[in-house]
Amino acid sequence: MDTDPLYKRFPKVEIPRRGAAFVIDYWIVWLLSSLGADRTVEGMSWGQSFWFLLLWVFLRVFLPGRNHGQSVGRWALDITLVGLRFGRTPLLLDLFKREAVAGVGAVLVAIGLSHLNPGHGVGMLLLVPLAIDCSAVSSDPFRRQAFHDRIANTMIVGTLRGFSLDIKLKRAYRKLRRAYQEFKQNRSSRSFEDTRQYRGDRDDFEDTRQYRGDRNEFDDLED
């Protein structure tokens, strides 16, 4: 029987990958909430903030509750959320507790970014709560829990279920890089062939004989 703590049995997720999943969810919610924004108000309005929180709850509470702990960002990067008590998808109440903290931090970031102006530090201050919340991950090498994870007793873990966006991007980058290197190599080879006869190369004697006035095989040139 396996007596190791539950959190040791799950594959850990790198912090950059976890942050990327959070950013994907954040920008989806921000873009959708900005569709109904009041253009007459400078920065993020109260109405947009309300829609932001409402969409955040849908994307990060109800969707994961029905989709094996995965939001859009987590699904894109093969990540899921589990409760440490039973090792399965957390209950909706736990998801609400978790996202009550993370959602408030996210909406404060959205408000802060919309009010970033030279000489005004209020916008920067609104980024601090989420930064403090997420910084707890680095102080927990075993569970890698942020403060909102500790409140809900949840943990971010890796899974085989997802789109594998990061892997697909890495493969596409390698293919593009390989194709670019082959293109440069082929271009260099063609350039060498095009300029060889003007540099006086003698490697291919028969190809350039008639331009150099060679008479050793005169019969070949009679035509």
Side-chain angles (χ1 to χ4, degrees), residues 31-46:
L31 287 172
L32 292 176
S33 65
S34 64
L35 296 177
D38 187 356
R39 305 302 178 184
T40 62
V41 178
E42 183 180 358
M44 192 172 186
S45 63
W46 288 105

Side-chain angles (χ1 to χ4, degrees), residues 196-214:
R196 184 177 53 200
Q197 57 181 329
Y198 304 110
R199 301 199 315 268
D201 296 300
R202 307 297 182 176
D203 297 333
D204 298 327
F205 177 81
E206 295 180 358
D207 294 341
T208 60
R209 185 182 55 223
Q210 55 182 329
Y211 304 109
R212 301 201 311 268
D214 297 301

Side-chain angles (χ1 to χ4, degrees), residues 97-141:
K97 290 191 293 185
R98 183 181 192 274
E99 298 307 327
V101 177
V104 170
V107 75
L108 289 177
V109 168
I111 296 173
L113 292 177
S114 67
H115 289 85
L116 282 179
N117 293 312
H120 295 80
V122 177
M124 292 295 296
L125 289 176
L126 293 178
L127 310 182
V128 174
L130 185 63
I132 295 175
D133 176 17
C134 295
S135 65
V137 174
S138 59
S139 65
D140 186 1

Side-chain angles (χ1 to χ4, degrees):
M1 183 176 180
D2 195 348
T3 59
D4 288 339
L6 192 60
Y7 63 84
K8 288 187 177 181
R9 306 176 200 172
F10 293 115
K12 294 183 175 63
V13 178
E14 306 87 351
I15 293 177
R17 183 167 143 216
R18 177 176 177 171
F22 187 93
V23 170
I24 290 173
D25 289 338
Y26 172 87
W27 282 112
I28 290 174
V29 171
W30 183 86
L31 287 172
L32 292 176
S33 65
S34 64
L35 296 177
D38 187 356
R39 305 302 178 184
T40 62
V41 178
E42 183 180 358
M44 192 172 186
S45 63
W46 288 105
Q48 185 179 354
S49 301
F50 170 78
W51 282 110
F52 186 99
L53 288 173
L54 194 63
L55 290 167
W56 188 268
V57 169
F58 172 78
L59 188 67
R60 303 271 294 187
V61 176
F62 291 111
L63 181 60
R66 302 282 295 182
N67 192 39
H68 306 283
Q70 289 183 307
S71 63
V72 176
R74 296 187 201 124
W75 172 81
L77 296 173
D78 303 343
I79 298 172
T80 190
L81 180 70
V82 298
L84 286 178
R85 185 176 180 184
F86 300 110
R88 60 186 66 176
T89 303
L91 301 174
L92 282 179
L93 179 60
D94 294 329
L95 290 172
F96 267 114
K97 290 191 293 185
R98 183 181 192 274
E99 298 307 327
V101 177
V104 170
V107 75
L108 289 177
V109 168
I111 296 173
L113 292 177
S114 67
H115 289 85
L116 282 179
N117 293 312
H120 295 80
V122 177
M124 292 295 296
L125 289 176
L126 293 178
L127 310 182
V128 174
L130 185 63
I132 295 175
D133 176 17
C134 295
S135 65
V137 174
S138 59
S139 65
D140 186 1
F142 299 106
R143 298 181 181 87
R144 293 184 179 177
Q145 289 178 301
F147 280 128
H148 53 263
D149 286 309
R150 299 179 186 185
I151 290 174
N153 197 27
T154 57
M155 180 179 175
I156 293 289
V157 299
T159 180
L160 297 177
R161 184 178 185 271
F163 185 68
S164 305
L165 178 62
D166 54 333
I167 297 176
K168 287 181 169 62
L169 289 176
K170 290 177 182 178
R171 288 176 179 172
Y173 171 75
R174 286 196 294 265
K175 288 180 180 179
L176 288 174
R177 184 177 180 181
R178 190 181 304 116
Y180 176 70
Q181 291 175 346
E182 291 176 356
F183 171 77
K184 286 181 63 178
Q185 185 176 2
N186 293 335
R187 185 177 179 183
S188 176
S189 298
R190 287 196 302 268
S191 176
F192 175 78
E193 293 293 337
D194 293 341
T195 59
R196 184 177 53 200
Q197 57 181 329
Y198 304 110
R199 301 199 315 268
D201 296 300
R202 307 297 182 176
D203 297 333
D204 298 327
F205 177 81
E206 295 180 358
D207 294 341
T208 60
R209 185 182 55 223
Q210 55 182 329
Y211 304 109
R212 301 201 311 268
D214 297 301
R215 304 297 183 181
N216 294 331
E217 297 179 5
F218 181 80
D219 293 337
D220 294 340
L221 303 176
E222 288 182 350
D223 295 339

